[in-house]
Amino acid sequence: MKILLINTDDSMGGAAIASLRLLSVLEEEHDIEAKLLVQEKKRNRADVIPVAQSWLDKKRAFIRFVTERLYFRQYEKNKEVRFAFSPANTGIDISQHPLVQEADILHLHWVNFGFLSINSLKKLFSLGKPIVWTLHDMWAFTGGCHHSGDCENYQGHCGNCLPYLRNPSPDDLSAKVWQRKHEIFGDMTQLPPIQIVGCSEWLANRARKSNLFKNLSISAIPNPLDINVFKPTTKAEARAKLNLPIDKKLILFAAAKVTVIWKGFSYFQESLRILKEQVSNPDEIELVILGESDAELNQMLPFKTHALGRISDVEKIALIYSAADVFTIPSIQENLPNTIMEAMACGTPAVGFEVGGIPEMIEHQQTGYLATYKSAENFAEGIKWILFEADAKALANNARKKVLENYSQAVVKERYLGVYRSFSV
């Protein structure tokens, strides 16, 4: 059986990481040949095949990305939402690519930012090959937004897009994008066999409520994690290797770009201010920031900060998780964050808001602390509880056990094998 995974890239994004982890374990099966098709290749892996082979192809890919962003710019509500909505009017036709033609099953992941347009998807579906589409956000069943927030227009027909568009109306850009998708999914007789997979129960449930996906089969399978890489290391050893203080309480915040609005950095800042007022010895607490951050912003944080920048070495990232006493994720929009399962696999409990798929991962006061949505006060309480009140050993053991039972590559692989074999190709 030939499985072709398809994702925009193979870089550090959550969908890319999930695709690569699944690819690795599928290759262990003797009856499966798996490859990953991407727009542009970043990693040195023979099983990852880029569509953009030449310098000119890469320039064209960049131009497609810029073209779509410029197109949306005339509609966007403000620059903060510039990358939160994809009209998908720019892309390439991969339906005749040799790997697509040879594949028995096409497994889509995240395909935006100028890789596949809605028209590209239509041509791909017209091949009649079985499709698995793993959703890493809501884009597939909305009028263009990646996360709808409190808006539920996608359940009927998008339009009047208040969160993302400058001039919302019944016939706005979101309505037009939704209608183009409806032309694909509206007629089941024209569709190949399709299995939609949300990587959290929360996302799968949202997909089921969508008018676009009402006739499709939808299930939930989490992203896989390599438990042999993300594993506990003693805090003393991890901190020594990272040159972090041995005698401090370390709070970790991680994001590819920490200032992205839905990562909730403002809530993180406020919760730290509250925490500093509540603890008797603030000097025993320090922060670790993993990801692209702003030096000026870091200086405004109320505790001493170790800004580590972007790191691609996964073994070093695992050490950072192990070094921390608590992992914080104040996101206000999330699906099933890889960062939480990575931290938990390393025995580090997490504090997160009760939003998206986060409650599926953090069991309140068992594997971490679930804070009231958008409450900096309760978020601070969660950090304080883990640092000073909780049974650290029990939390660490529970967190690791949760990952082993639900998110390991072996567990997730078996669930996807069941999906693939259900097509009887």
Side-chain angles (χ1 to χ4, degrees):
M1 186 188 302
K2 292 185 177 181
I3 311 293
L4 182 62
L5 309 181
I6 301 172
N7 195 71
T8 295
D9 58 36
D10 62 338
S11 59
M12 291 302 293
I17 293 171
S19 303
L20 290 165
R21 288 173 179 167
L22 180 58
L23 179 65
S24 296
V25 290
L26 288 177
E27 290 170 342
E28 298 171 358
E29 298 297 307
H30 71 276
D31 62 336
I32 287 182
E33 179 183 332
K35 286 186 171 61
L36 172 61
L37 184 66
V38 297
Q39 179 168 229
E40 188 175 344
K41 184 174 179 176
K42 304 292 185 182
R43 298 170 185 256
N44 185 26
R45 284 184 58 155
D47 52 2
V48 177
I49 312 299
V51 173
Q53 298 277 356
S54 67
W55 176 86
L56 185 58
D57 287 340
K58 293 176 183 178
K59 286 295 180 184
R60 286 172 177 156
F62 179 71
I63 290 170
R64 286 194 298 272
F65 168 76
V66 171
T67 298
E68 183 172 85
R69 291 303 99 198
L70 289 175
Y71 173 80
F72 179 60
R73 192 171 181 177
Q74 62 187 312
Y75 297 98
E76 68 186 21
K77 184 175 183 177
N78 53 54
K79 65 179 182 180
E80 290 184 337
V81 302
R82 187 161 297 163
F83 300 100
F85 188 107
S86 293
N89 59 343
T90 306
I92 55 174
D93 177 10
I94 63 169
S95 62
Q96 300 306 308
H97 190 283
L99 289 180
V100 173
Q101 289 290 311
E102 295 169 7
D104 295 307
I105 296 172
L106 303 176
H107 188 161
L108 300 175
H109 284 264
W110 201 87
V111 294
N112 299 117
F113 284 6
F115 185 29
L116 300 188
S117 65
I118 294 173
N119 193 47
S120 305
L121 291 170
K122 188 174 184 179
K123 290 181 178 179
L124 210 56
F125 293 170
S126 70
L127 297 175
K129 293 177 181 284
I131 301 281
V132 178
W133 194 347
T134 294
L135 309 181
H136 297 272
D137 58 31
M138 295 177 62
W139 180 84
F141 55 88
T142 70
C145 67
H146 291 277
H147 287 283
S148 71
D150 296 329
C151 175
E152 296 184 347
N153 290 353
Y154 71 92
Q155 296 185 20
H157 189 304
C158 284
N160 292 308
C161 184
L162 298 174
Y164 296 104
L165 300 185
R166 185 183 308 144
N167 298 307
S169 72
D171 193 35
D172 61 18
L173 180 62
S174 72
K176 290 181 172 65
V177 173
W178 191 95
Q179 187 58 41
R180 290 174 62 205
K181 290 180 180 178
H182 186 259
E183 291 171 5
I184 298 177
F185 295 109
D187 186 355
M188 288 293 292
T189 64
Q190 300 298 312
L191 287 174
I194 295 180
Q195 178 65 47
I196 301 295
V197 178
C199 54
S200 68
E201 289 288 352
W202 170 83
L203 186 57
N205 286 333
R206 287 207 143 191
R208 292 183 185 107
K209 293 178 181 178
S210 167
N211 199 22
L212 286 174
F213 282 5
K214 63 183 179 181
N215 296 317
L216 299 181
S217 175
I218 301 170
S219 60
I221 301 176
N223 291 332
L225 185 71
D226 189 339
I227 57 173
N228 296 315
V229 172
F230 292 94
K231 59 185 178 182
T233 302
T234 64
K235 298 204 181 305
E237 180 184 349
R239 293 181 184 190
K241 289 181 178 179
L242 296 167
N243 197 29
L244 291 171
I246 301 292
D247 58 344
K248 302 293 183 180
K249 300 282 190 181
L250 296 184
I251 300 171
L252 174 62
F253 178 97
K257 187 176 179 65
V258 301
T259 54
V260 172
I261 187 170
W262 50 82
K263 293 302 179 183
F265 196 75
S266 61
Y267 294 97
F268 180 62
Q269 287 178 288
E270 178 62 14
S271 68
L272 293 177
R273 185 193 64 76
I274 295 168
L275 180 66
K276 187 172 184 178
E277 293 176 352
Q278 293 180 344
V279 297
S280 57
N281 183 15
D283 289 340
E284 71 174 313
I285 297 175
E286 295 186 5
L287 309 177
V288 179
I289 308 293
L290 175 60
E292 183 183 329
S293 62
D294 184 286
E296 186 175 334
L297 194 63
N298 291 341
Q299 290 176 357
M300 296 169 62
L301 295 171
F303 299 103
K304 181 178 178 180
T305 301
H306 305 269
L308 305 183
R310 285 198 178 200
I311 296 174
S312 57
D313 183 339
V314 291
E315 293 185 353
K316 187 173 182 180
I317 292 172
L319 280 177
I320 294 168
Y321 286 122
S322 288
D325 292 287
V326 59
F327 172 66
T328 58
I329 181 164
S331 299
I332 56 175
Q333 293 182 1
E334 274 292 359
N335 179 18
L336 197 78
N338 288 331
T339 50
I340 292 180
M341 67 174 72
E342 289 168 355
M344 288 171 53
C346 296
T348 299
V351 178
F353 286 134
E354 195 171 3
V355 65
I358 290 178
E360 298 170 34
M361 309 178 79
I362 300 177
E363 296 178 27
H364 187 55
Q365 296 189 329
Q366 296 298 314
T367 65
Y369 192 99
L370 270 179
T372 304
Y373 185 53
K374 290 187 177 182
S375 170
E377 292 81 4
N378 196 227
F379 200 88
E381 181 61 32
I383 298 174
K384 182 182 176 184
W385 181 79
I386 289 177
L387 292 183
F388 299 105
E389 301 169 26
D391 183 333
K393 185 175 181 180
L395 274 182
N397 290 338
N398 291 344
R400 174 74 177 174
K401 184 172 182 283
K402 173 86 173 185
V403 172
L404 295 180
E405 293 177 352
N406 296 276
Y407 308 127
S408 73
Q409 286 176 310
V411 170
V412 174
K413 177 188 70 174
E414 288 303 317
R415 297 187 64 182
Y416 270 116
L417 289 176
V419 173
Y420 298 147
R421 289 168 179 156
S422 71
F423 290 121
S424 300
V425 294

